Amino acid sequence: NNMDVNVTRNTQNEFGNDSTSKGFTLQLFYSKTTFEITFTCVICTIAFFGCIGNLATIVKIVYDPKYHTPTFAAIGQLALADFLSITITTFDRMTNILEMWSHIIFISNTSIMSSYSHVCFLSVVRYLITVHPLQSRRHLTVTAVCLCSLTIWIFCGVFSAILNYTAVGFIYVLTIRLVVNVFTLLIVCSIMTLLHVKKIRTLQNSLSVTDQSQRRMNIVVAMILSIFVLYQLPLIANNIMILFLYQQFSDKLYNHVNNIFYFNIFVACINYSCNPYILFFSQFI
């Protein structure tokens, strides 16, 4: 029934491992009621602009020589991870592609983890350039940034493979997902906040930046963090509720799970689509 389908979709997100079926026709999951049709249109619209924004960012950085700097190299790698995340996440959560190709979960997990990691990596690059400018000019080159990014992709791929192909048992999978999501939330927020505060203090002490520039940096970090937290908290709540739902059936609890799942898909698309637009419009604040 509908409940089984939606709960199954929840258990397939991120760190699950599911078998394939014999169906080979790509179909939308949410196309029956007026709400589902509207929801699908909204998600597809956000995903479209997310893909365009990230692709445009990558093309601009690659083909415009003035953007061949360590900072923009990190931004380009983040845009690549976000482009893959928004594309694969949309297909994974909105269609039955998982029934045709179960390895889509591994690719989705790798790109999502890479997106989180590159957000932190971009914060590290900006911090080093601001706080240690002399050393950064000598060692932090575009080549070094690309090599670090490649290392991040390899690590995320290995980590995702271990989680995806060694997970056995529904409760085990949900527990691992919950632990990973909690640690991801804490680590990303801690790294971004700590490095940003240190960077701002260094700029204030050196008097090398205007109040407007500081305000722009604060707004950019606050917006990226806010959307990230808004995405992670429903994920954590969803996992906790599904664990309770499988322990003891509850219609009221199931409705909450369903609502959080819809909200999570929406915020996920926003999360992987917003970075190029935030970084672009911040130049005009």
mmCIF file of all heavy atoms in Angstrom, residues 135-161:
data_model
loop_
_atom_site.group_PDB
_atom_site.id
_atom_site.type_symbol
_atom_site.label_atom_id
_atom_site.label_comp_id
_atom_site.label_asym_id
_atom_site.label_seq_id
_atom_site.Cartn_x
_atom_site.Cartn_y
_atom_site.Cartn_z
ATOM 1 N N GLN A 135 52.108 31.876 3.084
ATOM 2 C CA GLN A 135 52.245 30.438 2.882
ATOM 3 C C GLN A 135 51.283 29.934 1.812
ATOM 4 O O GLN A 135 51.603 29.012 1.046
ATOM 5 C CB GLN A 135 51.997 29.698 4.195
ATOM 6 C CG GLN A 135 53.023 29.984 5.282
ATOM 7 C CD GLN A 135 52.619 31.172 6.157
ATOM 8 O OE1 GLN A 135 51.934 32.095 5.685
ATOM 9 N NE2 GLN A 135 53.030 31.144 7.419
ATOM 10 N N SER A 136 50.097 30.536 1.758
ATOM 11 C CA SER A 136 49.098 30.109 0.780
ATOM 12 C C SER A 136 49.545 30.402 -0.643
ATOM 13 O O SER A 136 49.331 29.595 -1.561
ATOM 14 C CB SER A 136 47.763 30.810 1.056
ATOM 15 O OG SER A 136 47.256 30.441 2.320
ATOM 16 N N ARG A 137 50.182 31.570 -0.840
ATOM 17 C CA ARG A 137 50.659 31.896 -2.185
ATOM 18 C C ARG A 137 51.713 30.908 -2.665
ATOM 19 O O ARG A 137 51.847 30.642 -3.858
ATOM 20 C CB ARG A 137 51.246 33.317 -2.201
ATOM 21 C CG ARG A 137 50.213 34.418 -2.036
ATOM 22 C CD ARG A 137 50.801 35.772 -2.366
ATOM 23 N NE ARG A 137 49.891 36.844 -2.000
ATOM 24 C CZ ARG A 137 49.995 37.561 -0.889
ATOM 25 N NH1 ARG A 137 50.970 37.304 -0.017
ATOM 26 N NH2 ARG A 137 49.127 38.523 -0.625
ATOM 27 N N ARG A 138 52.465 30.360 -1.710
ATOM 28 C CA ARG A 138 53.543 29.457 -2.066
ATOM 29 C C ARG A 138 53.059 28.020 -2.269
ATOM 30 O O ARG A 138 53.525 27.320 -3.165
ATOM 31 C CB ARG A 138 54.612 29.498 -0.966
ATOM 32 C CG ARG A 138 55.930 28.811 -1.362
ATOM 33 C CD ARG A 138 56.962 28.896 -0.246
ATOM 34 N NE ARG A 138 57.086 30.256 0.261
ATOM 35 C CZ ARG A 138 56.866 30.588 1.530
ATOM 36 N NH1 ARG A 138 56.496 29.668 2.401
ATOM 37 N NH2 ARG A 138 57.007 31.835 1.922
ATOM 38 N N HIS A 139 52.150 27.586 -1.420
ATOM 39 C CA HIS A 139 51.777 26.170 -1.421
ATOM 40 C C HIS A 139 50.345 25.899 -1.911
ATOM 41 O O HIS A 139 50.091 24.820 -2.453
ATOM 42 C CB HIS A 139 51.925 25.588 -0.009
ATOM 43 C CG HIS A 139 53.299 25.725 0.557
ATOM 44 N ND1 HIS A 139 54.387 25.028 0.056
ATOM 45 C CD2 HIS A 139 53.779 26.486 1.587
ATOM 46 C CE1 HIS A 139 55.468 25.331 0.745
ATOM 47 N NE2 HIS A 139 55.136 26.219 1.687
ATOM 48 N N LEU A 140 49.444 26.851 -1.709
ATOM 49 C CA LEU A 140 48.038 26.604 -2.043
ATOM 50 C C LEU A 140 47.774 27.032 -3.483
ATOM 51 O O LEU A 140 47.266 28.119 -3.757
ATOM 52 C CB LEU A 140 47.118 27.362 -1.077
ATOM 53 C CG LEU A 140 45.635 26.983 -1.122
ATOM 54 C CD1 LEU A 140 45.429 25.533 -0.721
ATOM 55 C CD2 LEU A 140 44.832 27.899 -0.192
ATOM 56 N N THR A 141 48.099 26.150 -4.412
ATOM 57 C CA THR A 141 47.907 26.419 -5.831
ATOM 58 C C THR A 141 46.625 25.747 -6.325
ATOM 59 O O THR A 141 46.001 24.949 -5.615
ATOM 60 C CB THR A 141 49.095 25.894 -6.639
ATOM 61 O OG1 THR A 141 49.166 24.463 -6.472
ATOM 62 C CG2 THR A 141 50.399 26.518 -6.153
ATOM 63 N N VAL A 142 46.257 26.077 -7.557
ATOM 64 C CA VAL A 142 45.084 25.433 -8.159
ATOM 65 C C VAL A 142 45.291 23.935 -8.279
ATOM 66 O O VAL A 142 44.373 23.137 -8.027
ATOM 67 C CB VAL A 142 44.798 26.053 -9.543
ATOM 68 C CG1 VAL A 142 43.691 25.285 -10.255
ATOM 69 C CG2 VAL A 142 44.421 27.525 -9.411
ATOM 70 N N THR A 143 46.502 23.541 -8.631
ATOM 71 C CA THR A 143 46.809 22.104 -8.735
ATOM 72 C C THR A 143 46.659 21.411 -7.392
ATOM 73 O O THR A 143 46.104 20.309 -7.298
ATOM 74 C CB THR A 143 48.246 21.910 -9.254
ATOM 75 O OG1 THR A 143 48.371 22.539 -10.534
ATOM 76 C CG2 THR A 143 48.576 20.431 -9.369
ATOM 77 N N ALA A 144 47.152 22.060 -6.333
ATOM 78 C CA ALA A 144 47.040 21.480 -4.987
ATOM 79 C C ALA A 144 45.581 21.337 -4.572
ATOM 80 O O ALA A 144 45.186 20.328 -3.972
ATOM 81 C CB ALA A 144 47.789 22.349 -3.984
ATOM 82 N N VAL A 145 44.766 22.337 -4.892
ATOM 83 C CA VAL A 145 43.336 22.282 -4.563
ATOM 84 C C VAL A 145 42.661 21.139 -5.316
ATOM 85 O O VAL A 145 41.854 20.382 -4.743
ATOM 86 C CB VAL A 145 42.657 23.624 -4.893
ATOM 87 C CG1 VAL A 145 41.135 23.500 -4.804
ATOM 88 C CG2 VAL A 145 43.138 24.719 -3.942
ATOM 89 N N CYS A 146 42.990 20.975 -6.585
ATOM 90 C CA CYS A 146 42.380 19.896 -7.381
ATOM 91 C C CYS A 146 42.800 18.525 -6.868
ATOM 92 O O CYS A 146 41.988 17.587 -6.840
ATOM 93 C CB CYS A 146 42.762 20.059 -8.848
ATOM 94 S SG CYS A 146 42.027 21.507 -9.650
ATOM 95 N N LEU A 147 44.064 18.385 -6.452
ATOM 96 C CA LEU A 147 44.530 17.112 -5.905
ATOM 97 C C LEU A 147 43.834 16.796 -4.583
ATOM 98 O O LEU A 147 43.455 15.649 -4.323
ATOM 99 C CB LEU A 147 46.047 17.138 -5.718
ATOM 100 C CG LEU A 147 46.883 17.104 -7.000
ATOM 101 C CD1 LEU A 147 48.363 17.248 -6.671
ATOM 102 C CD2 LEU A 147 46.632 15.811 -7.772
ATOM 103 N N CYS A 148 43.661 17.819 -3.748
ATOM 104 C CA CYS A 148 42.925 17.626 -2.493
ATOM 105 C C CYS A 148 41.479 17.235 -2.771
ATOM 106 O O CYS A 148 40.917 16.369 -2.089
ATOM 107 C CB CYS A 148 42.977 18.904 -1.650
ATOM 108 S SG CYS A 148 44.588 19.264 -0.935
ATOM 109 N N SER A 149 40.881 17.880 -3.776
ATOM 110 C CA SER A 149 39.508 17.546 -4.143
ATOM 111 C C SER A 149 39.401 16.105 -4.632
ATOM 112 O O SER A 149 38.451 15.395 -4.290
ATOM 113 C CB SER A 149 39.015 18.503 -5.230
ATOM 114 O OG SER A 149 37.721 18.155 -5.662
ATOM 115 N N LEU A 150 40.374 15.656 -5.425
ATOM 116 C CA LEU A 150 40.382 14.277 -5.895
ATOM 117 C C LEU A 150 40.482 13.305 -4.725
ATOM 118 O O LEU A 150 39.799 12.265 -4.700
ATOM 119 C CB LEU A 150 41.555 14.059 -6.853
ATOM 120 C CG LEU A 150 41.737 12.635 -7.391
ATOM 121 C CD1 LEU A 150 40.514 12.190 -8.193
ATOM 122 C CD2 LEU A 150 42.999 12.551 -8.249
ATOM 123 N N THR A 151 41.301 13.659 -3.738
ATOM 124 C CA THR A 151 41.414 12.829 -2.534
ATOM 125 C C THR A 151 40.079 12.746 -1.802
ATOM 126 O O THR A 151 39.695 11.680 -1.302
ATOM 127 C CB THR A 151 42.492 13.402 -1.595
ATOM 128 O OG1 THR A 151 43.733 13.496 -2.294
ATOM 129 C CG2 THR A 151 42.656 12.524 -0.358
ATOM 130 N N ILE A 152 39.377 13.866 -1.741
ATOM 131 C CA ILE A 152 38.061 13.893 -1.092
ATOM 132 C C ILE A 152 37.088 12.967 -1.818
ATOM 133 O O ILE A 152 36.356 12.186 -1.187
ATOM 134 C CB ILE A 152 37.508 15.332 -1.056
ATOM 135 C CG1 ILE A 152 38.310 16.181 -0.073
ATOM 136 C CG2 ILE A 152 36.025 15.339 -0.676
ATOM 137 C CD1 ILE A 152 37.944 17.657 -0.087
ATOM 138 N N TRP A 153 37.078 13.014 -3.148
ATOM 139 C CA TRP A 153 36.184 12.158 -3.921
ATOM 140 C C TRP A 153 36.500 10.678 -3.685
ATOM 141 O O TRP A 153 35.587 9.858 -3.529
ATOM 142 C CB TRP A 153 36.309 12.482 -5.415
ATOM 143 C CG TRP A 153 35.492 13.644 -5.853
ATOM 144 C CD1 TRP A 153 35.932 14.911 -6.112
ATOM 145 C CD2 TRP A 153 34.083 13.664 -6.094
ATOM 146 N NE1 TRP A 153 34.895 15.715 -6.487
ATOM 147 C CE2 TRP A 153 33.737 14.980 -6.496
ATOM 148 C CE3 TRP A 153 33.082 12.711 -6.013
ATOM 149 C CZ2 TRP A 153 32.443 15.356 -6.809
ATOM 150 C CZ3 TRP A 153 31.766 13.083 -6.331
ATOM 151 C CH2 TRP A 153 31.466 14.379 -6.722
ATOM 152 N N ILE A 154 37.778 10.341 -3.647
ATOM 153 C CA ILE A 154 38.166 8.946 -3.423
ATOM 154 C C ILE A 154 37.734 8.489 -2.034
ATOM 155 O O ILE A 154 37.178 7.387 -1.866
ATOM 156 C CB ILE A 154 39.689 8.770 -3.600
ATOM 157 C CG1 ILE A 154 40.078 9.022 -5.060
ATOM 158 C CG2 ILE A 154 40.135 7.378 -3.155
ATOM 159 C CD1 ILE A 154 41.571 9.038 -5.311
ATOM 160 N N PHE A 155 37.997 9.321 -1.032
ATOM 161 C CA PHE A 155 37.607 8.968 0.336
ATOM 162 C C PHE A 155 36.101 8.786 0.448
ATOM 163 O O PHE A 155 35.623 7.815 1.058
ATOM 164 C CB PHE A 155 38.067 10.059 1.302
ATOM 165 C CG PHE A 155 37.538 9.877 2.701
ATOM 166 C CD1 PHE A 155 38.123 8.977 3.578
ATOM 167 C CD2 PHE A 155 36.437 10.621 3.132
ATOM 168 C CE1 PHE A 155 37.619 8.805 4.865
ATOM 169 C CE2 PHE A 155 35.930 10.453 4.415
ATOM 170 C CZ PHE A 155 36.526 9.545 5.282
ATOM 171 N N CYS A 156 35.330 9.711 -0.143
ATOM 172 C CA CYS A 156 33.869 9.612 -0.083
ATOM 173 C C CYS A 156 33.371 8.356 -0.791
ATOM 174 O O CYS A 156 32.429 7.700 -0.326
ATOM 175 C CB CYS A 156 33.233 10.860 -0.712
ATOM 176 S SG CYS A 156 33.490 12.381 0.233
ATOM 177 N N GLY A 157 34.014 8.013 -1.923
ATOM 178 C CA GLY A 157 33.626 6.802 -2.638
ATOM 179 C C GLY A 157 33.880 5.546 -1.829
ATOM 180 O O GLY A 157 33.025 4.656 -1.759
ATOM 181 N N VAL A 158 35.051 5.481 -1.196
ATOM 182 C CA VAL A 158 35.384 4.309 -0.376
ATOM 183 C C VAL A 158 34.452 4.214 0.822
ATOM 184 O O VAL A 158 33.933 3.132 1.153
ATOM 185 C CB VAL A 158 36.856 4.382 0.081
ATOM 186 C CG1 VAL A 158 37.163 3.274 1.093
ATOM 187 C CG2 VAL A 158 37.792 4.274 -1.116
ATOM 188 N N PHE A 159 34.225 5.340 1.484
ATOM 189 C CA PHE A 159 33.358 5.360 2.667
ATOM 190 C C PHE A 159 31.933 4.958 2.307
ATOM 191 O O PHE A 159 31.289 4.170 3.015
ATOM 192 C CB PHE A 159 33.381 6.749 3.303
ATOM 193 C CG PHE A 159 32.670 6.834 4.619
ATOM 194 C CD1 PHE A 159 33.147 6.166 5.733
ATOM 195 C CD2 PHE A 159 31.508 7.593 4.740
ATOM 196 C CE1 PHE A 159 32.499 6.242 6.950
ATOM 197 C CE2 PHE A 159 30.842 7.677 5.949
ATOM 198 C CZ PHE A 159 31.341 7.002 7.066
ATOM 199 N N SER A 160 31.433 5.481 1.186
ATOM 200 C CA SER A 160 30.076 5.145 0.744
ATOM 201 C C SER A 160 29.963 3.668 0.384
ATOM 202 O O SER A 160 28.950 3.023 0.672
ATOM 203 C CB SER A 160 29.687 6.003 -0.464
ATOM 204 O OG SER A 160 29.653 7.371 -0.123
ATOM 205 N N ALA A 161 31.009 3.132 -0.255
ATOM 206 C CA ALA A 161 30.989 1.710 -0.626
ATOM 207 C C ALA A 161 30.939 0.827 0.608
ATOM 208 O O ALA A 161 30.202 -0.167 0.649
ATOM 209 C CB ALA A 161 32.222 1.376 -1.462
#
